[in-house]
Amino acid sequence: MKKIFITSLLIGGLLTSGCNDYLEILPKDQQARDQYWASSEDVESILAEGYYTMRSLPSTFFEWGELRAGSMTTTVVDGQKLETFQTLPSNSLVKWSNFYHIIGMANQVLKYAPGVMEVDDSYKEAQMKSHQTEAYFLRALSYFYLVRNFKEVPLILEPYDTDDQPIYMAKSSEADIIAQIKEDIETALASGAAKEMFNSTTTWSNPSKGRATKWALYALMADVCLWNEDYDECIEYADLLLNASSGIRPVFMSDPMQWFSIYYPGNSNESIFEIPFDNNLNQANGSPSAKTIPTDMATLPTYCFSTTMTEKLETEALSSPSTVGRARNTYHMLEMEENYSFVWKYAGIDEQTQRGSDAQDANFIIYRMADIILMKAEALICSGGTANWTEAIRLINQIRARAGANTVDPSIEEETEESMLTEYLLPEREMEFAAEGKRWYDLLRFARKHNNQYKQQFMNLILENNVEGNQKWLKSALQSEDAWFLPIAESELTSNKLLVQNPYYGVTN
Amino acid sequence: MKKIKFYVCLMLSCLFSFTACDDEFKDETYVLYDMQPASTYLSDRSEDFSEWIKIMKYADLYNAVNVATQYFTLFVPNNQAVTEFYAKKGVSSIEELGEEYAKTLVRFHVINDTINQETFISTDGDLETQTLSEDYLNVSYGTGNENAGGLQSLYLNKEAHVVELANHVSNGYVYVLENVMTPLTESVYDRIQEESEYGIFKTALDETKLGARIHEIYENVPDANGKVTQQKRNYTVLAVTDATFQAEGIADFNGLANRLGAGTDYTNPENALYKYVAYHIISGMYSLSRMQQFDTEGSASKLWNTLSNDYLIKTSEEGDGFYLNYDNQESRSQFVEDNCDIKAKNGYIHQLSSCLWVTEQKPESVLFDLCDFEEIANAIAAGKADANCVYQTVGSSEGWLDCTELDIYQSYAPNPSSWRPGTCPDGLLNYMNAKSSNDWQYAQNHDYLVFNVGYMGWFSVQTPTILKGKYKVSIQFGHAKSIDFIAKASDGSNGGQMDISFDDKVITCYPYTSDHKTGNSYNFSYEVGEWEFDSTASHTFKLTLKDPTASKNSNYRMYIDYILFEPVTEE
């Protein structure tokens, strides 16, 4: 009987006892916020995660920013679908998760960084606000890419902490998203905490170009204003860069001999914000070099200049009086029957020498001063007026002189806004920012000006340049203004029941 | 001891009974498989498709497309579309149109294959697989100025707006249409006849009796044993409207005959009117997009044979568009694209912008694909090939069709080797479409004529019309690793000696040896030399094998892709 009693006690004890730890472990959907947000290093590491995620984006910048414009082509099948406007929601390249990952990181910093000051005495308000300016920049930049590619996306401004929060989010309008982007940038700048430079570290030799500075915020704001047709505001923010007097400001490098240093070694004085890669830190994988340098001269790399873009680059090179600078050194011909070329900007260390296998780690430049100059020129053109147009041509010629190209001298009185844009501004941007992930946005911005005034001209430009796609199909698809934007990925539609597909893709399954 | 066990078990049972699982989902049901076969899917959406379901059931085809063992693509008109179709036909139910019509209608809307949305939207022209009614459906999209192009303006046969793409069902796909497609029962002649704008052209077709020829959809063809088989005949008609003739000062049929200087013997192939009308008819079914393609990469022009044997049409891409007979100002014409791709049971009608007067062409490169014959397409569509065979398409496996009985080739195989395609036990002269896993897929139109005619065996075929002149002739062959011995002239092979002839002129050559390469499946070109053709005509190409091993080695066969004729310009 005693044995029975003891056995029963043992079994009962075993069955009813639990581990204390079990009772203390939080559910998997809840972060240990009070334990995590304990020091400035924690804030830095979340920000770093945002920057780290950006290193996976250069391929996306080529895919979203170049292929549809016909300026670059690709060997990636889903990229070819994008290029030929046959993108469906199942296309792997329309996923936006990387951008929302960055937004998520930014949202956490914005919400929890202030609380860190309460538990870490060494974490001061100035440092906290500086971190927040970076978070605002990363969030604003991410939404700017999303709104230009999807037009309407869910506007998520809070970190996702627990399953108690709504998991389904509807899309916000383009106007609301643009307003939020501008508000973020304005808030960041108003805090006065945005830095002009960051100090080097052992693992980051030039963080002033890879982290969000005051200059990067100005550049992003100028770009957003240009997209939103707020031309006066665009000029205002461009001037904050162009007229800056700080000793550590980014400056336009006017010497053609210095042009190649923008790309090698990178982080040039002209640079405002770029995504850094360093082969020594095993970061080369996502670099634009890794995807654009061919294995041999008879094989297409993953991304290269299209045949039409190659012809334009050749034309500029042949007409250029200079052998240095942009005109002859942006591209290098491939030895193929068709007229393809690869992106020498990311492949060379100078005009002649190709990067070695241990140096295929070019940075991806998001903003540089030449961009600001041409943003201002575009805003001046769209503002109208002889004086504005004369100044715009002066700015364009500033870029052309550095490029080693002949300057232009139009008779302003005979020009129209359309001719100023299509004959001077857009071709200049096309050459200057070749393979820098901007061409599609330039054309789309052009098409949508003044309530789609230049739709037909935009279509003509695409049809001229995009020779990979079936012309009849392109002509048909581009008629639909919703087709200018990407479909929401089917996986997103499945997981977020409030998302509504872009109507152009409504017939797909 | 037994008591102890009893009490332990009792306690455990009590404990377990107190700790029952609380299944929070116990009152909810879950669908393990959410995909259904086609007809079941339609029934589940009966609010959209009840009218079409009635038609399918009346045609006794509802269950046929629901089987799990076959794959289908269904193009299903919604209820509104069916209602409008009845109104157009002046009926109120399918019964009034009869069971046969219902069968034809449903078969016209079903393809016995899977067509996913990627394939569908990348198609410009005909879908590659025929419907159950043996027709090719044509995909087009709007090109107007409306803000609804691309995916929003996909049409089938220029008639049915596609409003849902490729709903996935367990045995294929269901596309939803906003309009019913009218089954193709009419010939190209019928379609011309019903269009009043082609009055003069239609009269010319009647007077030359060419109208009767293009009205005949199926021709009874006896084989060598006297067995009659039905052979479908397809035509592409380049039609000229009355308004276009009038713009040239031609008011009526007599005006056209006078302008051409035709006598009265209009049915004589030498008569100018006959030549003019025949010049506007191409044998074969070519959609506009097909007519705007060229044979080789980099090429921007192509010659088309017409029923007017000695006269060819040249299509070309010029700086400002696509033209016919661009080099001759008087004959130059263009397609009126909005009025092209008019489908009929046996072909297409494309409207021209001008009269397209008969003209002579200068020699151009001609690529003669030895397998580009509608007889092959028809035989495959009729189920005479193996299951993998899809005409001019790269498949996951190679597909085969025994062509020995087709009247396009003549052959003599007195002592073939024992080699046969696995799925064609009697195949000595075979059509083969390539598979995606080797370089044969890069053959012209992705296919070969594969022959095993043995020592002193031969086959022959008629070339397209070749314009009079001197040409460099080269032949594209395919090589397989298992016939390396031919290239190496080993194992008793003399290197694949063969006689090649056009009409009576013969040369002896060793194409496989000359290539000097061995290894896995690839294509190579053999330059036969220069050839002078004294007249504009079709010629008989004949290949005779003179390698004794061709009858002995169990791997012996050869692959031929195309013959390229490139004009030689005398200095």
Side-chain angles (χ1 to χ4, degrees), chain A residues 210-383:
Chain A
R211 293 181 69 168
T213 57
K214 179 172 80 176
W215 317 114
L217 285 160
Y218 289 156
L220 176 57
M221 189 61 140
D223 203 4
V224 173
C225 291
L226 193 61
W227 176 264
N228 206 40
E229 300 185 68
D230 302 326
Y231 298 121
D232 289 344
E233 216 178 339
C234 171
I235 293 167
E236 180 192 330
Y237 278 92
D239 280 342
L240 286 171
L241 280 154
L242 296 172
N243 301 331
S245 57
S246 165
I248 45 177
R249 70 192 188 281
V251 289
F252 175 68
M253 302 190 308
S254 56
D255 181 358
M257 297 294 286
Q258 293 183 319
W259 180 81
F260 212 91
S261 70
I262 296 171
Y263 308 100
Y264 187 88
N267 295 321
S268 67
N269 286 343
E270 175 161 331
S271 171
I272 299 169
F273 182 72
E274 54 194 73
I275 302 173
F277 293 92
D278 187 343
N279 191 57
N280 295 322
L281 299 172
N282 292 321
Q283 296 170 345
N285 267 353
S287 162
S289 304
K291 301 294 171 93
T292 57
I293 298 177
T295 51
D296 61 72
M297 288 298 111
T299 305
L300 287 178
T302 310
Y303 305 98
C304 67
F305 287 125
S306 66
T307 53
T308 45
M309 183 65 179
T310 300
E311 281 165 24
K312 288 180 183 180
L313 291 163
E314 278 184 301
T315 303
E316 179 176 88
L318 291 171
S319 64
S320 168
S322 172
T323 56
V324 293
R326 176 184 86 192
R328 299 196 180 179
N329 301 303
T330 298
Y331 72 108
H332 195 105
M333 293 302 295
L334 284 160
E335 293 166 7
M336 303 177 80
E337 206 168 296
E338 288 178 280
N339 209 20
Y340 290 109
S341 62
F342 66 98
V343 186
W344 188 255
K345 282 179 180 184
Y346 302 137
I349 59 172
D350 57 30
E351 287 81 355
Q352 306 292 330
T353 318
Q354 186 164 331
R355 287 168 182 260
S357 58
D358 58 346
Q360 299 190 351
D361 56 359
N363 295 348
F364 191 93
I365 301 169
I366 305 284
Y367 290 118
R368 56 189 174 92
M369 288 303 287
D371 202 359
I372 305 304
I373 290 171
L374 291 177
M375 281 183 203
K376 182 177 178 183
E378 183 172 334
L380 287 167
I381 292 169
C382 296
S383 299

Side-chain angles (χ1 to χ4, degrees), chain B residues 484-498:
Chain B
D484 276 354
F485 66 92
I486 305 176
K488 291 190 282 189
S490 61
D491 296 353
S493 170
N494 62 12
Q497 181 184 342
M498 62 179 72

Side-chain angles (χ1 to χ4, degrees), chain A residues 346-506:
Chain A
Y346 302 137
I349 59 172
D350 57 30
E351 287 81 355
Q352 306 292 330
T353 318
Q354 186 164 331
R355 287 168 182 260
S357 58
D358 58 346
Q360 299 190 351
D361 56 359
N363 295 348
F364 191 93
I365 301 169
I366 305 284
Y367 290 118
R368 56 189 174 92
M369 288 303 287
D371 202 359
I372 305 304
I373 290 171
L374 291 177
M375 281 183 203
K376 182 177 178 183
E378 183 172 334
L380 287 167
I381 292 169
C382 296
S383 299
T386 307
N388 282 342
W389 289 9
T390 305
E391 174 62 5
I393 291 296
R394 187 192 69 77
L395 292 170
I396 289 169
N397 278 332
Q398 194 180 349
I399 302 294
R400 291 186 67 77
R402 195 268 298 272
N406 294 314
T407 54
V408 292
D409 185 21
S411 176
I412 295 293
E413 295 72 23
E414 294 171 15
E415 299 295 338
T416 60
E417 181 186 83
E418 182 189 334
S419 68
M420 287 290 287
L421 290 170
T422 57
E423 292 178 28
Y424 305 109
L425 190 280
L426 285 172
E428 197 53 40
R429 287 191 64 87
E430 184 178 25
M431 292 294 107
E432 181 65 24
F433 306 114
E436 293 186 30
K438 293 184 183 291
R439 178 63 172 167
W440 170 251
Y441 307 124
D442 290 348
L443 295 180
L444 193 52
R445 197 169 61 238
F446 168 61
R448 302 177 83 217
K449 280 187 197 298
H450 318 312
N451 197 20
N452 298 338
Q453 181 180 336
Y454 298 120
K455 176 179 177 177
Q456 191 56 51
Q457 293 86 335
F458 156 78
M459 287 175 59
N460 293 342
L461 283 169
I462 301 288
L463 290 166
E464 277 171 29
N465 291 296
N466 193 327
V467 293
E468 301 291 336
N470 175 328
Q471 294 285 295
K472 261 198 292 184
W473 171 260
L474 291 181
K475 206 182 286 184
S476 176
L478 288 168
Q479 286 290 348
S480 289
E481 285 147 24
D482 289 327
W484 302 350
F485 296 91
L486 296 175
I488 297 174
E490 60 183 9
S491 55
E492 298 294 343
L493 291 167
T494 306
S495 57
N496 182 352
K497 303 294 181 194
L498 291 182
L499 279 181
V500 177
Q501 183 58 279
N502 174 335
Y504 174 72
Y505 304 94

Side-chain angles (χ1 to χ4, degrees), chain B residues 393-413:
Chain B
T393 302
V394 179
S396 53
S397 303
E398 285 156 0
W400 295 88
L401 167 73
D402 180 359
C403 296
T404 318
E405 301 298 322
L406 296 183
D407 63 0
I408 43 179
Y409 306 110
Q410 303 296 312
S411 63
Y412 172 64

